[in-house]
Amino acid sequence: MNLRPALTALLLAPLLLACASTSRVMLSQARPAIDPALVEVYASAPEGSIEIAQIEATSAVGFGTQGQTDAAIERLKREAAALGANGVILMGVGSQRAPVSVGLGGGNYGRHGGVGLGVGVPATQKNAAGMAIWVPQPAPMVTQPRE
């Protein structure tokens, strides 16, 4: 029995499972990119904010952990920062089954045979959707010196 196809599938599985993505729909002109660490996450739009784009992000495939949710939100923040947005209104987070699976099989032919073992592990991806926004910073307070 030739094990090369099975070994190739096993070696490529981690690469396929690591897939994550982002998408966007532009609503206004992008601004110069900023550092993702400066992007704030909001539950609702702050006063005076300007919508830049609707954005979506997915995490890498895993087992439905909080880390996957955090990764999807971080991807939202990176996408928003690339558009020059300093905020993201978080619209929602959900899960979906992973689009990738790996299977191995076995069989027999005459006196030659092979045995296969299959294990199914439910894997998921986390999806996050949000609105990239630009929030004007308030002017700094200037105090007059006392005389």
Side-chain angles (χ1 to χ4, degrees):
M1 182 172 163
N2 186 357
L3 292 177
R4 181 172 280 167
L7 290 175
T8 302
L10 286 175
L11 292 174
L12 291 177
L15 296 175
L16 295 173
L17 295 177
C19 296
S21 64
T22 60
S23 66
R24 64 180 171 210
V25 176
M26 298 301 296
L27 301 175
S28 65
Q29 188 170 349
R31 297 173 177 271
I34 65 169
D35 181 355
L38 300 175
V39 177
E40 295 289 328
V41 178
Y42 298 93
S44 60
E47 188 174 326
S49 63
I50 299 169
E51 295 177 349
I52 296 176
Q54 293 176 345
I55 54 178
E56 294 180 0
T58 60
S59 69
V61 175
F63 303 104
T65 65
Q66 181 63 43
Q68 282 183 286
T69 300
D70 295 343
I73 292 171
E74 283 303 312
R75 289 180 72 72
L76 278 182
K77 290 174 70 172
R78 284 197 307 266
E79 182 70 15
L83 299 172
N86 60 1
V88 172
I89 303 167
L90 186 60
M91 307 302 265
V93 177
S95 297
Q96 72 180 23
R97 282 188 167 254
V100 177
S101 63
V102 176
L104 297 175
N108 62 30
Y109 181 75
R111 286 191 267 173
H112 303 285
V115 176
L117 173 64
V119 177
V121 179
T124 61
Q125 281 183 299
K126 291 288 187 170
N127 304 319
M131 179 69 68
I133 58 173
W134 182 75
V135 181
Q137 302 301 315
M141 297 285 290
V142 178
T143 58
Q144 297 295 326
R146 296 182 189 223
E147 294 181 19

